[in-house]
Amino acid sequence: MEPLPSNIFSSSPAFGTPAHPILPANTSRIAPPAFKPAAPSHTTAPILPVLLSQQNLRPTAVRTLKKHNLSLTGPALQSLALFVGRHCGSGWREEGTAEQAIEEVAKLWKNENGGFLLEEGEKLKGILKVLESCMSGGRVGVVKAGQGMRRESSFAFGNDSAVDLGGRPALESQKSFGISALSVEDEEGEGEDGAGDPRAWVKTISAFEMPRLGYEVEAKHFVAAKSKASMFPSPSEKIAVFRDRYNTIHQRLLRSEAFQVPSFSVRAPALTRSDTTTAQQFYKLTPIANLLGRGGTQHLLLGMLGVAPTGGLAFHDLSGSISLDLQYAQPMQGQDSAYFCPGMIVLIEGQYEENWAGAGSSGLGNTGGVGGTIGGRFLGFSIGGPPVERRNVSLGVDLKAGDPGGGFGWTDFLGLGSDRAVGERMRRLEKRLLDPASPSCVGEGRRKMVVLGEVTLDQPATLAALRKVLQFYDSADAEPPMSFVLTGNFSSRAAMANAGTGSVEYKELFDSLAAILSDFPRLLRSSTWTFIPGDNDPWASSFSAGASALIPREGIPDFFTNRIRRAFAAAKAEVSLGSKKESVDGEAVWTSNPARVSLFGPAHEVVVFRDDLASRFRRTTIRVGEATKTRTDTTVEIEVDMPDAAAATIEGADSQDAAMSDTQPSAPTDPPSLIAAKKLILSLLPQSTLSPFPMAIRPTHWSYTSALSLYPLPHTLVLVDAESEPFALTFEGCHVLNPGRLVTGSGRRKVVKWGEYDCWTRRGVIQEDFVG
């Protein structure tokens, strides 16, 4: 049908005729330009394609990708060589077009949540297709992240829809999770790029670089935060801090066999076992709001300890709050086995007592205007932390008989790829480089990570102790360690807080450290040096005056560390004078507190945190069972049996198989320092966070609380607590190492203590020496 002419008016009075007739849809209203300038000759110059080999492009590609902490496989290098030769032409080296193109490939790869290994697949093909449409004259034009790329080609955070019932990803997204045909022979072929050195696979992740994840109850998996991170977030994110912590621990409990209702049961559920009960027992959690109208009954609650406005104890969960009485409560793991502080999420078994003082007093929001608080009180009989879930159970990998299925193995918690995607390949590479039985294994000294705590540079004894430690590892007959970790406080007094340590004095502290490090150029060239600040270090110390600063906190500013960077540059310059060149140059990393060190991607995760947690636990702990302690004539017997899933063992680092269950965490013959260490571990790890305290006691960034998460449990937690004795213990597969203070003792002869961590056995020991 021919379109109507545009000048025909409407015959209906209901339609008004416009002043200018409407043009047909296929007619352009854009007038051609009156003058079109000719394009410059250099933009239209033809590109002469060349056939570029991998060997010619390899140095440029490796150097460019190393800026973004990326490595690449052989097939990926071949794809880059074909792309550069075809679109950059013969001037790829002289004009720098190849480096620019590879730079854009690395940026798009990281924007699409790719792992640290650039590999061939649908993701790389999509990125090259985007760049192909942006190439002009051999150069990359304006590139929009994600242009022309499907969302399915990126790492999905816990996307259960991409996983079928068999536990394998769907065909469309299988390559997006980093699954490729990379064999062991391909990995061995990367040794010339530094992959033969295990330090090439060490990556320090700042707390502000980690993916911001939260547990979604409806979807039952972890999802990325929708809001943008900000230093001034909305109040809703403060509420989400407690909600995410509660949901994470709640789903962890429901995955435990002890909290799952049997499919076929003929008996009513019971909280405790008795000699006559033979049926399968299970635990059932009761929301606080469901206690209304059920006075005199016993329940098991999961919630957060708090302080009510009236000054008494309160217990909170997502449904409401209730007054709490713990004067008759006993710890589930044994007397004096753990700390219980406000802000901690715990399990409490007890009895609900309604308040019959007046009509309508037992109801939501009817107690003094405090919303969500029900009347009455909850009389606790037993209290304990939630059972800890081992890392392999949380991820659903390497499961044993009796372990629950599922898990979050497809979730990328570190931003380096999920465990199900690249974990197996990285574990195979780790075994090849670190296993003493492997022919290509590095030396025993190369597997070490040295941790120094409380390096106060304004103390002369500390500088002498630091030189003593470096001399110990700089011997000619031993390989240098893989990494050194130095933690603050780097000043014994708060810097820039009118405490005698200004900006000039603080910079001089690192100048003196640079003078010591310059005497050990071999260690500077061969190891990764990580510096983690404390509460006395800037800039946080300028307004906190050494008190508990906001966490996570940024690293030490570059303004104070210029001299140390020069020391590393000078050590690298000595290579040209005849020294042996390392496959991977040493570097100094100034990261946040806390931080995470990844060895071989998700195959080995180490969390490093500098905080005096033990003293904070002691200051804020709640006294439990005071009424039973004063009754010496009679004893109160409370029958509490923890489920088998809650049973845990604590093993000493000396491999003496000192196994203890939760019901008896410490033996009577243990020294006080070991008892205090076990008490600290049993208090912290069940909370699945590094800071189980209220905001008023330990303030945290609302937008970055996911960086404090301990779920899933890391392989190793380096907890630098200067006010506690050094220890190295293992709890539910998580090794906890505290090197303590670097220099202790009084008098002229002082004791030097530091931690030495073996990256293959994943166990640490406390080394000791004397100085003075």
Side-chain angles (χ1 to χ4, degrees):
M1 178 181 294
E2 294 292 332
L4 295 175
S6 60
N7 56 356
I8 297 180
F9 300 100
S10 173
S11 61
S12 173
F15 297 93
T17 302
H20 302 283
I22 302 176
L23 296 177
N26 58 353
T27 303
S28 176
R29 297 181 62 93
I30 303 176
F35 173 73
K36 182 177 181 180
S41 59
H42 67 274
T43 59
T44 59
I47 299 300
L48 179 63
V50 295
L51 185 60
L52 189 60
S53 63
Q54 299 185 40
Q55 289 76 11
N56 294 334
L57 185 64
R58 182 184 296 274
T60 303
V62 171
R63 182 179 65 253
T64 305
L65 294 177
K66 187 177 293 185
K67 301 177 184 177
H68 301 270
N69 295 322
L70 295 176
S71 183
L72 79 165
T73 63
L77 181 61
Q78 177 65 28
S79 299
L80 290 179
L82 293 176
F83 179 87
V84 171
R86 181 183 305 169
H87 298 283
C88 297
S90 57
W92 65 273
R93 191 197 303 269
E94 292 77 12
E95 299 177 4
T97 54
E99 185 173 354
Q100 181 189 10
I102 298 175
E103 186 86 16
E104 294 298 333
V105 169
K107 292 179 181 179
L108 290 176
W109 180 268
K110 299 191 73 173
N111 289 340
E112 289 298 313
N113 299 322
F116 63 91
L117 188 64
L118 186 68
E119 54 188 1
E120 181 69 14
E122 295 297 329
K123 184 189 296 294
L124 182 59
K125 292 180 181 179
I127 292 176
L128 296 180
K129 185 176 181 181
V130 171
L131 288 182
E132 183 179 359
S133 62
C134 302
M135 298 295 294
S136 176
R139 297 182 178 275
V140 182
V142 179
V143 181
K144 296 182 179 180
Q147 176 184 357
M149 300 183 65
R150 297 178 57 187
R151 181 58 188 163
E152 293 82 17
S153 64
S154 64
F155 280 94
F157 296 112
N159 187 5
D160 288 348
S161 61
V163 183
D164 59 13
L165 295 178
R168 300 183 61 182
L171 183 61
E172 288 291 331
S173 60
Q174 192 166 18
K175 293 185 178 181
S176 68
F177 289 99
I179 299 177
S180 64
L182 183 63
S183 62
V184 179
E185 289 75 17
D186 294 331
E187 293 170 358
E188 293 178 352
E190 297 174 5
E192 56 185 324
D193 295 338
D197 186 356
R199 198 166 61 84
W201 303 96
V202 177
K203 178 177 176 56
T204 303
I205 307 172
S206 170
F208 301 94
E209 299 174 352
M210 289 186 57
R212 299 170 54 235
L213 305 178
Y215 184 76
E216 187 70 27
V217 178
E218 291 78 10
K220 296 184 178 180
H221 65 76
F222 288 88
V223 297
K226 299 179 181 178
S227 60
K228 185 178 181 181
S230 172
M231 302 302 291
F232 303 98
S234 62
S236 60
E237 295 197 22
K238 181 180 180 181
I239 303 174
V241 172
F242 164 69
R243 185 178 62 245
D244 289 342
R245 278 186 57 202
Y246 181 88
N247 289 333
T248 301
I249 295 179
H250 185 260
Q251 65 85 22
R252 193 181 78 195
L253 284 180
L254 296 185
R255 284 163 45 84
S256 175
E257 183 180 0
F259 288 86
Q260 296 178 1
V261 180
S263 301
F264 301 95
S265 177
V266 295
R267 293 176 178 267
L271 288 175
T272 58
R273 293 192 180 116
S274 62
D275 297 336
T276 59
T277 304
T278 58
Q280 181 181 5
Q281 303 297 317
F282 63 93
Y283 290 79
K284 181 178 180 181
L285 299 176
T286 302
I288 291 179
N290 291 5
L291 296 177
L292 291 174
R294 305 172 69 178
T297 56
Q298 293 191 5
H299 303 274
L300 181 64
L301 306 183
L302 175 69
M304 184 180 70
L305 293 172
V307 180
T310 57
L313 289 179
F315 202 56
H316 316 277
D317 68 2
L318 299 183
S319 66
S321 305
I322 189 174
S323 178
L324 185 63
D325 187 355
L326 296 178
Q327 60 178 336
Y328 296 101
Q330 295 295 322
M332 294 180 181
Q333 294 90 354
Q335 189 66 33
D336 201 28
S337 59
Y339 298 102
F340 302 105
C341 306
M344 297 177 62
I345 297 179
V346 297
L347 286 167
I348 298 181
E349 187 269 332
Q351 179 174 316
Y352 172 57
E353 296 181 354
E354 283 190 297
N355 184 7
W356 299 100
S361 61
S362 180
L364 285 173
N366 291 333
T367 56
V370 181
T373 303
I374 68 173
R377 65 169 183 169
F378 191 78
L379 183 61
F381 296 151
S382 58
I383 180 173
V388 176
E389 189 176 69
R390 299 178 69 92
R391 179 181 178 88
N392 66 312
V393 177
S394 301
L395 298 179
V397 296
D398 298 333
L399 297 178
K400 301 178 181 179
D403 291 340
F408 304 100
W410 292 110
T411 304
D412 185 5
F413 289 99
L414 298 178
L416 302 177
S418 62
D419 193 279
R420 288 286 185 92
V422 298
E424 184 61 31
R425 186 168 69 250
M426 290 296 101
R427 280 187 286 269
R428 189 166 62 248
L429 180 62
E430 180 185 22
K431 182 177 181 180
R432 180 170 65 86
L433 296 180
L434 299 183
D435 189 2
S438 174
S440 57
C441 171
V442 297
E444 181 180 0
R446 198 58 175 165
R447 303 196 308 260
K448 305 295 184 181
M449 178 185 295
V450 181
V451 184
L452 309 178
E454 194 73 5
V455 186
T456 51
L457 300 176
D458 56 347
Q459 302 292 332
T462 301
L463 299 178
L466 181 60
R467 182 179 294 274
K468 185 84 170 181
V469 174
L470 297 183
Q471 290 175 351
F472 178 79
Y473 292 102
D474 195 37
S475 58
D477 56 345
E479 291 187 90
M482 182 188 306
S483 175
F484 286 89
V485 179
L486 279 69
T487 63
N489 299 309
F490 293 105
S491 174
S492 59
R493 295 174 295 183
M496 290 172 290
N498 295 328
T501 304
S503 59
V504 177
E505 292 81 5
Y506 189 79
K507 189 176 186 302
E508 291 176 351
L509 299 181
F510 285 98
D511 293 346
S512 60
L513 175 61
I516 295 178
L517 296 181
S518 300
D519 297 337
F520 304 93
R522 177 169 171 262
L523 297 181
L524 299 185
R525 291 192 303 266
S526 307
S527 303
T528 299
W529 295 72
T530 304
F531 298 85
I532 296 179
D535 289 335
N536 286 349
D537 299 311
W539 298 114
S541 62
S542 59
F543 58 86
S544 65
S548 298
L550 201 64
I551 57 170
R553 52 155 300 173
E554 289 280 5
I556 297 176
D558 297 340
F559 170 76
F560 302 102
T561 61
N562 293 332
R563 191 67 62 86
I564 293 182
R565 300 179 189 277
R566 295 178 192 173
F568 276 84
K572 296 176 185 178
E574 293 184 7
V575 176
S576 59
L577 301 179
S579 301
K580 179 182 177 181
K581 187 181 186 309
E582 298 293 336
S583 57
V584 181
D585 291 334
E587 59 177 344
V589 181
W590 305 86
T591 186
S592 63
N593 182 28
R596 299 180 188 245
V597 180
S598 170
L599 292 86
F600 302 95
H604 195 167
E605 177 185 354
V606 179
V607 178
V608 185
F609 186 39
R610 169 64 183 96
D611 192 22
D612 297 330
L613 278 176
S615 59
R616 186 173 291 108
F617 274 125
R618 289 193 297 266
R619 290 194 303 266
T620 60
T621 187
I622 298 172
R623 289 181 292 183
V624 177
E626 290 298 317
T628 59
K629 295 179 182 178
T630 58
R631 296 175 56 184
T632 57
D633 53 340
T634 59
T635 59
V636 178
E637 296 182 359
I638 301 176
E639 184 182 7
V640 178
D641 288 336
M642 288 299 294
D644 295 338
T649 60
I650 298 182
E651 299 176 356
D654 52 359
S655 302
Q656 295 180 356
D657 297 332
M660 289 164 292
S661 65
D662 278 344
T663 56
Q664 189 180 0
S666 300
T669 58
D670 290 340
S673 59
L674 183 58
I675 295 177
K678 295 177 180 178
K679 188 175 182 180
L680 174 62
I681 295 175
L682 288 175
S683 304
L684 179 64
L685 294 189
Q687 299 301 311
S688 294
T689 182
L690 291 171
S691 180
F693 303 101
M695 295 290 181
I697 297 177
R698 186 51 157 168
T700 59
H701 277 301
W702 302 345
S703 298
Y704 296 100
T705 52
S706 60
L708 307 177
S709 175
L710 291 178
Y711 186 84
L713 276 179
H715 298 92
T716 303
L717 171 61
V718 178
L719 178 62
V720 183
D721 191 337
E723 298 185 6
S724 299
E725 291 293 328
F727 62 84
L729 300 172
T730 302
F731 177 70
E732 287 293 344
C734 177
H735 186 70
V736 184
L737 173 65
N738 176 28
R741 194 183 300 269
L742 179 62
V743 180
T744 58
S746 58
R748 298 184 57 183
R749 189 171 179 83
K750 299 182 182 297
V751 182
V752 183
K753 295 182 180 180
W754 70 93
E756 189 179 83
Y757 178 71
D758 192 319
C759 297
W760 171 245
T761 61
R762 297 178 182 177
R763 293 295 183 267
V765 295
I766 304 300
Q767 299 287 356
E768 185 175 330
D769 205 340
F770 297 93
V771 65

